[in-house]
Amino acid sequence: MHDKLDPENLDPLRPGPPGVKAMNCHFDYLFARLQELVPGKRIVLLTDSNLAGLYTAAFSGHHLISFPAGESNKNQQTVDQVIRELIRMEAGKDTVLVGVGGGVVTDITGFVAAVYMRGIPFGLVPTSILAMVDAAIGGKNGIDVGIYKNLLGTIRQPGFVVYDYSFLNTLPVSEWVNGFAEVIKHACIRDANLFAMLERYSLHDFQGNLVLTAELVEKNVAIKSAVVHLDEFEKGERKILNFGHTIGHAIENLVGMPHGHAISIGMTAACNLSEKMGGLHFEEAKKVIRLLAKYHLPVDMEADHEKVFDVIRMDKKREGEDLNFILIDKIGHAFIMPLALETLRHHLKEIL
Ligand SMILES: NC(=O)c1ccc[n+]([C@@H]2O[C@H](COP(=O)([O-])OP(=O)(O)OC[C@H]3O[C@@H](n4cnc5c(N)ncnc54)[C@H](O)[C@@H]3O)[C@@H](O)[C@H]2O)c1
């Protein structure tokens, strides 16, 4: 599945933690040195309107395609627009499509690169916390079709992922908050030490200290890479990354709230369910909920349980009358529990 860009010939400034090498990540790498990663290749940058406006000077010197920012543009129409631009530029197999932006940009980049000419090489430069710790890692991409999120997509690994932390200087606070929902998720499912680190510091600390943020991002990349490495095509272990996402996605679809907020409410509900059915100690559940609130994420909301249940019934992860639900039995350890839909319906009222 890997593109032909040979990672062994690349010269990462810092190799990063174990497991990450397979994902071809280049930490603390200057965006200005992008061409060195793909000598002799033609780079076409793909970005959104916000980044194109903020980084005009940095992007000059490369071919550039930009599309209007926002999740509502992660669709076939944008894909068609990008493909028309690629044709106009006479982009071919010698072209490397490089997505510079948040998760919307990295998803569209991976998708277009997978289908254009049956596949061209691509690389990613994630610029939001969420894209750095999650969307750019693992090779999944997707576009939305109406209310159905990520209904179309492929799994195909990028040739490289470049981390230039200076992009974070312009990231709005609301997007830092969004990204930390996934950071807290990683801590809950895989890493009690990361959880303790998050308890020790605050959002303000991370925003004001990119060295500390780099350490945090790299820990998260290692966690996601390790999980994906075990199970690239989500047959088993990779499902634990969906902690908080079954209920979270349903709420996101229904209420249209930011992804991180919806996932935070989903994780709160999953902790409550973990306490009821998964052996999670009451105090540990409280610790998770306290941490979410500390990072300015919502932990409850008024929701119509039946409507939430109706959306969950349509979940991609449903198998017959069961749903694979992700629970934790302690902070740092998640497991998959097949749950009858009716059991979940019964509990939804109490756990939301
Ligand atoms: N493929 C995967 O495995 C995966 C995993 C998680 C999420 N996702 C997808 O990621 C998307 C969410 O990602 P996101 O939260 O990054 O959304 P996004 O791409 O919409 O970015 C959020 C906002 O921040 C802006 N932005 C990004 N970086 C910036 C910077 N450095 N300076 C200023 N503004 C900046 C963007 O222009 C946008 O307005 C969703 O579509 C989700 O489905 C994919």
Side-chain angles (χ1 to χ4, degrees), residues 30 34 40 47 52 79 166 185 192 214 229 248 255 279 287 297 305 309 323 325:
L30 281 180
L34 199 58
T47 193
V79 169
S166 68
K185 177 194 80 179
H229 198 62
V255 186
K287 267 169 91 171
L297 287 158
H305 311 104
F309 179 72
L323 195 77
F325 210 88

Side-chain angles (χ1 to χ4, degrees), residues 10-271:
L10 306 179
D11 177 31
L13 294 187
R14 200 156 6 119
V20 169
K21 194 167 181 291
M23 299 294 156
N24 302 337
C25 289
H26 302 269
F27 297 115
D28 252 346
Y29 192 95
L30 281 180
F31 175 76
R33 290 184 53 198
L34 199 58
Q35 188 72 62
E36 290 172 39
L37 291 177
V38 283
K41 298 270 185 184
R42 182 154 85 131
I43 289 177
V44 173
L45 298 181
L46 180 57
T47 193
D48 73 17
S49 48
N50 292 340
L51 275 298
L54 286 164
Y55 293 97
T56 315
F59 295 164
S60 67
H62 290 294
H63 300 277
L64 178 73
I65 303 175
S66 91
F67 62 86
E71 180 71 29
S72 61
N73 296 305
K74 204 178 86 168
N75 55 25
Q76 188 65 48
Q77 205 182 331
T78 303
V79 169
D80 289 346
Q81 179 218 322
V82 174
I83 287 175
R84 273 195 300 271
E85 291 277 312
L86 286 172
I87 295 169
R88 194 182 58 73
M89 290 171 176
E90 298 181 11
K93 292 272 188 188
D94 61 336
T95 300
V96 183
L97 188 64
V98 180
V100 190
V104 168
V105 170
T106 57
D107 267 11
I108 290 196
T109 304
F111 187 73
V112 169
V115 295
Y116 183 70
M117 293 188 165
R118 297 204 183 91
I120 59 169
F122 75 109
L124 300 175
V125 185
T127 62
S128 68
I129 293 286
L130 189 138
M132 287 184 180
V133 303
D134 195 354
I137 301 297
K140 272 194 194 177
N141 57 60
I143 58 169
D144 307 332
V145 181
I147 63 161
Y148 301 107
K149 260 183 81 77
N150 303 322
L151 192 71
L152 306 185
T154 69
I155 300 184
R156 189 166 176 264
Q157 301 300 334
F160 59 81
V161 186
V162 158
Y163 287 80
D164 182 337
Y165 298 108
S166 68
F167 279 109
L168 293 174
N169 287 322
T170 55
L171 188 70
V173 184
S174 57
E175 296 303 336
W176 280 81
V177 172
N178 243 333
F180 268 73
E182 301 293 353
V183 170
I184 294 173
K185 177 194 80 179
H186 285 152
C188 287
I189 62 171
R190 266 297 183 126
D191 193 338
N193 289 332
L194 173 61
F195 194 93
M197 180 185 186
L198 292 165
E199 286 184 314
R200 208 159 50 245
Y201 296 106
S202 68
L203 191 68
H204 190 71
D205 295 330
F206 287 109
Q207 276 185 280
N209 184 343
L210 287 187
V211 174
L212 187 66
T213 300
E215 186 190 332
L216 182 85
V217 166
E218 287 163 35
K219 281 182 194 293
N220 277 271
V221 172
I223 292 171
K224 182 153 185 197
S225 305
V227 173
V228 171
H229 198 62
L230 288 172
D231 175 24
E232 187 177 8
F233 295 101
E234 198 164 317
K235 301 278 181 257
E237 179 76 6
R238 189 167 182 167
K239 291 186 172 66
I240 67 168
L241 295 169
N242 294 324
F243 179 62
H245 282 57
T246 304
I247 292 175
H249 273 158
I251 289 173
E252 193 177 356
N253 277 359
L254 278 174
V255 186
M257 61 167 52
H259 181 73
H261 288 215
I263 296 314
S264 176
I265 291 167
M267 282 192 280
T268 305
C271 280

